[in-house]
Amino acid sequence: MTLKTVSPNLSKPKAGLHSHRNIGIMAHIDAGKTTVTERILFLTEKIHKTGEVHDGAATMDYLEEEQKRGITIASAATSCEWNGYSVNIIDTPGHVDFTAEVERSLRVLDGCIAVFDAVSGVEAQSETVWRQADRYKVPRICFINKMDRVGADFDAAVDSIVQRLGANPVAIQMPVGAEKDFRGVVDLVRMKLLTFVDDETGRSYDETDLTPELKEEADMYRHKMLESIAEFDDEMLDLFLEDGEISEEMVYRALRAGTLSMAITPVLAGSALKHKGVRFMLDAVIDVLPSPLDVPPVVGTDIHDETIKLTRPADITAPVSVMAFKTIAEATGDLTFVRVYSGVLEKGSRLLNPRTGKYERISRLMKVHANKREMVDTSPAGEIAAVIGLKNTITGDTLCDPDNPIALDKITFPDTVISVSVEPKTSGDRDKLSEAIAKIVREDPTFRAQTVERTGQLIISGMGELHLEVVVNRLKSEFKLEVMTGRPKVAYKQRLHQGLETEARFVRQSGGRGQFAVARVRFEAVETVDGGFEFVDEIKGGSVPREYISNVGAGLAEVFKSGGRTGYPFVNVRAALYDGKAHDVDSSELAFHNAGMLAFRQAMVDNIILLEPYMKVEVRVPEEYLGSVVGDLNSRRGEVSEVDSQGDLRVVRSTVPIAEMFAYSSALRGATQGRGSFSMEFQEYRDLPKAISNKILAGGEVDEED
């Protein structure tokens, strides 16, 4: 037996940023992300004992709610070293309700490991995180996990990446055996058999030459790999076409070029729980994923003129620029995670926040490993660090050199889709509840809270039932608050049914100076940028004085955001102020602001269509329950688009209004004797059926069975 302790890396560590990797681990819930991270930390001797997710003892799942539920809720950051390289890792959640954690992590990462279950392949949330990585142009590798599970199928999992993600996966390993017989992999670059040794550490393996039987199959896999990557290296392409000898260095060069360009995604296999294959995945992180120097300079804008684009290279001599991507509210001061894009972040330095126009002092700087911290004096470009005590910085904010300001492109987050009312059991806890909610709002960009002026009721909104359930449990366990919640309510939106013109006259006279403003506004129900509000100034001849035009726009925008009498925010409205009247004495900014609000309210009369969020729902059930599950989804106003077979399970894909999906998990459990599972994610907003819409607009409650 040849026991290897360090497998070969053709890329040698160099000084500086070449030897850095900032990676994330992303996947569908239960694919094994946190277990993969746990094994990486053990393998790199960052921890000396692995904790299991199912036991609530995983290092990265350190929040009480995570340990209780056995899922990742908040992204956690850590760092380790492998073969002379420094690797920063962010373990992200897989549940769709915590998609913001994935979104903000991908924004600041250079590369990613996508983990897939060898039995299930690409699942619903796998698609979501893959698209997020595409949007942020994050190169990635795939790890087909759980190869020792009953029903594991490497080729089927790889094929699902092609079919459902439209990606170009390239296997750089061929698994040897599957299920209980999974015993090793063939390294297709070096054409060696790597057999796992059952030493329960994952640190050693047996390397041997291929047997004739294995070589025949491995040759086919290798030919397919070389065919996929040859175009990324001219020298290799010539040799491939001439059936020449291709060196390992050439293969790695082409693999790296293809991965960095996002044209291919290398695929590896293993079983993280059994310590199988994780070390080779780490080697691939070093060999093919980018260093901070391999990604384009970060893009931002001039803080005085958003049309001027600026860039910052990953260079310690450049002006400092960092992005805040996560906040943890603590009693001693907020802990803010930052990615340093350029320059050197120094303890004691004073930086500008372009959003607020205020300065922030970096009083305490540290490296973080899950819930452990190490104080440092500097953090250079390419690093991920944490700062304590920032006063006015939130997720997505830039901090930069005041003499060379830049506003980095922001992180975008999806809208909330569900709300509940929450109130303390004792009135004396009202202020304490407000403080706790304010802390959670600072931490979570997809969590919203507002007080309804009319009733004084506190409404919290989030990405799903689990999201709000976790928030409520945090209020009870972390903040020691006893609270009561109302029934979940859907976060409806509204649009104008059709375009029209209105004349709003805001005229008040009560002795002395009055208020006078007339605004004639043309409304259009059109697709706007990000579904937002567009205000167009079409005033000619000075019928509305220049100084009042922006006030009309502000009044219109206020109703667009607040929703007017219905209270639901609008989407897709363009409003053009084309005429109006003013009075030399009685006109004012306030009068024209109110005229703008009045014009929008007039446009709403009998001209509203409510929109409801639809969810993409994927249900996995044994064959015998298929009919009842499909029938139930149809009864929930669902549209079943596809029914697939996956081993002995049937996979039902459908689109269903979220209003019909409350408490679906318990309904599915009952209908399938606990053998069914489902995942759900936001897809789009659609027009609400008129009968339901009329009932809501009339102020009636809508029951789930309506």
Side-chain angles (χ1 to χ4, degrees):
M1 180 185 293
T2 309
L3 288 181
K4 300 283 186 178
T5 54
V6 178
S7 55
N9 282 314
L10 293 179
S11 47
K12 300 298 182 187
K14 302 169 186 175
L17 294 180
H18 290 282
S19 61
H20 275 282
R21 298 290 183 272
N22 293 312
I23 65 166
I25 301 182
M26 65 182 196
H28 184 90
I29 191 169
D30 284 339
K33 299 173 305 303
T34 300
T35 303
V36 167
T37 311
E38 202 75 8
R39 298 304 180 262
I40 289 174
L41 297 178
F42 180 72
L43 198 58
T44 58
E45 299 184 350
K46 191 77 179 184
I47 59 176
H48 300 289
K49 178 187 176 187
T50 56
E52 305 306 342
V53 175
H54 52 264
D55 294 332
T59 306
M60 302 298 275
D61 286 351
Y62 59 88
L63 297 177
E64 182 181 333
E65 279 292 304
E66 294 177 314
Q67 294 168 354
K68 190 164 66 179
R69 295 172 185 272
I71 63 171
T72 301
I73 291 171
S75 54
T78 188
S79 59
C80 57
E81 291 203 358
W82 182 245
N83 293 354
Y85 286 77
S86 172
V87 183
N88 289 320
I89 304 169
I90 296 181
D91 173 30
T92 63
H95 198 287
V96 65
D97 284 17
F98 310 107
T99 187
E101 295 289 339
V102 183
E103 191 83 30
R104 57 181 166 195
S105 299
L106 286 171
R107 172 63 176 82
V108 298
L109 294 172
D110 301 324
C112 205
I113 301 169
V115 180
F116 298 94
D117 186 314
V119 179
S120 305
V122 173
E123 299 173 86
Q125 186 64 6
S126 313
E127 291 188 55
T128 303
V129 295
W130 192 272
R131 305 289 175 229
Q132 287 172 313
D134 281 344
R135 190 162 67 249
Y136 289 114
K137 297 181 172 55
V138 179
R140 68 217 78 148
I141 62 175
C142 297
F143 184 66
I144 308 298
N145 192 27
K146 304 188 180 184
M147 279 297 300
D148 53 351
R149 264 188 74 194
V150 174
D153 189 329
F154 178 79
D155 290 334
V158 173
D159 188 56
S160 73
I161 295 171
V162 177
Q163 300 301 324
R164 295 197 60 186
L165 302 177
N168 184 18
V170 175
I172 62 174
Q173 290 179 346
M174 180 188 85
V176 179
E179 302 181 342
K180 63 180 174 40
D181 297 323
F182 179 57
R183 63 185 188 279
V185 294
V186 173
D187 180 340
L188 298 173
V189 179
R190 300 166 51 243
M191 291 301 278
K192 294 287 185 182
L193 171 60
L194 311 174
T195 306
F196 304 124
V197 177
D198 194 15
D199 67 349
E200 299 201 355
T201 69
R203 292 197 173 99
S204 54
Y205 60 95
D206 186 12
E207 181 181 303
T208 56
D209 292 330
L210 302 182
T211 62
E213 298 82 13
L214 275 177
K215 189 172 188 311
E216 184 178 351
E217 186 181 3
D219 281 341
M220 289 191 296
Y221 271 88
R222 178 177 165 86
H223 181 81
K224 191 174 179 182
M225 176 188 75
L226 296 179
E227 189 177 39
S228 300
I229 66 174
E231 63 181 281
F232 301 107
D233 189 282
D234 292 340
E235 183 184 359
M236 180 180 162
L237 180 60
D238 291 340
L239 288 170
F240 178 73
L241 294 173
E242 296 166 5
D243 288 328
E245 190 66 34
I246 297 173
S247 70
E248 293 173 26
E249 185 173 1
M250 235 178 272
V251 175
Y252 275 111
R253 203 165 60 209
L255 275 171
R256 185 173 181 80
T259 306
L260 296 188
S261 67
M262 291 180 60
I264 65 166
T265 310
V267 184
L268 302 94
S271 169
L273 188 64
K274 302 290 176 58
H275 295 266
K276 295 178 178 179
V278 177
R279 64 170 306 114
F280 308 126
M281 180 191 68
L282 262 177
D283 291 340
V285 165
I286 303 304
D287 290 329
V288 303
L289 288 183
S291 76
L293 295 175
D294 294 316
V295 296
V298 68
V299 177
T301 56
D302 186 294
I303 66 170
H304 303 297
D305 184 350
E306 290 186 0
T307 63
I308 300 175
K309 293 290 182 185
L310 303 173
T311 59
R312 290 287 185 271
D315 186 341
I316 60 172
T317 63
V320 65
S321 65
V322 310
M323 170 167 277
F325 68 93
K326 180 177 173 66
T327 300
I328 298 176
E330 298 185 340
T332 54
D334 288 357
L335 178 72
T336 305
F337 287 84
V338 297
R339 163 70 192 261
V340 186
Y341 279 105
S342 61
V344 178
L345 181 62
E346 297 180 341
K347 177 183 172 183
S349 60
R350 186 167 168 267
L351 300 179
L352 172 69
N353 182 330
R355 181 184 62 85
T356 63
K358 296 180 178 178
Y359 293 92
E360 293 273 22
R361 185 164 296 281
I362 310 300
S363 54
R364 284 183 287 172
L365 186 62
M366 63 186 68
K367 290 276 286 180
V368 176
H369 168 53
N371 60 345
K372 298 186 177 72
R373 297 158 190 189
E374 173 194 347
M375 303 302 290
V376 294
D377 291 328
T378 61
S379 187
E383 275 287 7
I384 288 172
V387 181
I388 283 187
L390 298 180
K391 300 282 191 268
N392 300 294
T393 296
I394 60 174
T395 295
D397 278 357
T398 302
L399 295 175
C400 60
D401 180 347
D403 297 327
N404 296 276
I406 184 174
L408 301 178
D409 291 348
K410 292 182 173 63
I411 309 173
T412 56
F413 297 105
D415 290 333
T416 58
V417 296
I418 183 174
S419 303
V420 298
S421 61
V422 60
E423 57 179 297
K425 282 190 176 176
T426 58
S427 58
D429 281 343
R430 199 166 292 279
D431 288 344
K432 193 176 173 185
L433 176 61
S434 297
E435 289 173 15
I437 292 291
K439 280 187 176 182
I440 297 172
V441 167
R442 290 207 306 277
E443 292 182 354
D444 185 349
T446 58
F447 176 71
R448 307 271 192 277
Q450 63 176 17
T451 301
V452 180
E453 288 183 24
R454 191 173 66 255
T455 62
Q457 194 175 40
L458 179 63
I459 305 294
I460 59 173
S461 307
M463 300 305 299
E465 284 185 281
L466 178 61
H467 188 190
L468 295 185
E469 191 182 321
V470 166
V471 168
V472 171
N473 283 345
R474 279 189 67 190
L475 292 174
K476 293 175 180 177
S477 62
E478 187 179 325
F479 297 98
K480 310 301 181 206
L481 281 163
E482 285 300 315
V483 295
M484 299 177 294
T485 57
R487 281 180 53 191
K489 293 191 176 180
V490 178
Y492 295 109
K493 293 187 178 183
Q494 58 185 339
R495 67 179 179 88
L496 294 176
H497 177 50
Q498 59 187 13
L500 45 74
E501 294 181 357
T502 66
E503 179 184 271
R505 302 178 63 84
F506 187 79
V507 181
R508 301 285 186 274
Q509 195 67 50
S510 56
R513 183 173 177 177
Q515 296 284 346
F516 183 93
V518 177
R520 297 190 178 100
V521 183
R522 182 188 311 108
F523 290 88
E524 295 176 85
V526 296
E527 292 286 332
T528 59
V529 178
D530 298 327
F533 173 69
E534 290 182 8
F535 175 62
V536 183
D537 171 13
E538 292 184 0
I539 292 296
K540 291 174 183 162
S543 58
V544 175
R546 270 296 118 201
E547 63 266 28
Y548 297 141
I549 290 174
S550 63
N551 301 113
V552 176
L556 291 163
E558 187 172 322
V559 178
F560 176 88
K561 186 176 180 182
S562 68
R565 65 182 180 82
T566 67
Y568 301 118
F570 273 93
V571 294
N572 290 327
V573 175
R574 178 183 295 139
L577 176 64
Y578 66 91
D579 197 5
K581 290 181 182 177
H583 188 278
D584 289 344
V585 176
D586 291 346
S587 286
S588 66
E589 292 181 354
L590 178 61
F592 275 97
H593 183 278
N594 288 338
M597 293 177 68
L598 182 59
F600 207 136
R601 290 193 184 115
Q602 290 174 185
M604 291 175 63
V605 178
D606 298 325
N607 193 30
I608 293 299
I609 290 180
L610 288 189
L611 306 169
E612 64 175 333
Y614 269 68
M615 310 302 283
K616 187 161 63 175
V617 179
E618 188 174 284
V619 186
R620 292 167 187 259
V621 291
E623 173 78 39
E624 60 262 37
Y625 302 111
L626 178 63
S628 61
V629 165
V630 170
D632 180 56
L633 289 171
N634 287 332
S635 74
R636 295 171 183 269
R637 296 194 283 132
E639 299 169 5
V640 175
S641 58
E642 188 179 10
V643 178
D644 268 355
S645 294
Q646 199 168 81
D648 57 352
L649 292 178
R650 302 303 293 273
V651 182
V652 183
R653 298 188 180 98
S654 62
T655 308
V656 192
I658 195 174
E660 309 291 344
M661 292 298 290
F662 294 148
Y664 182 66
S665 55
S666 56
L668 181 65
R669 260 196 315 272
T672 63
Q673 296 182 9
R675 297 171 66 194
S677 64
F678 83 104
S679 60
M680 180 172 71
E681 61 180 297
F682 172 72
Q683 180 163 316
E684 62 187 352
Y685 271 86
R686 294 188 194 173
D687 290 358
L688 190 65
K690 195 162 184 62
I692 301 176
S693 178
N694 288 343
K695 193 167 184 181
I696 293 170
L697 290 173
E701 285 295 315
V702 177
D703 296 325
E704 286 171 28
E705 59 266 19
D706 278 359

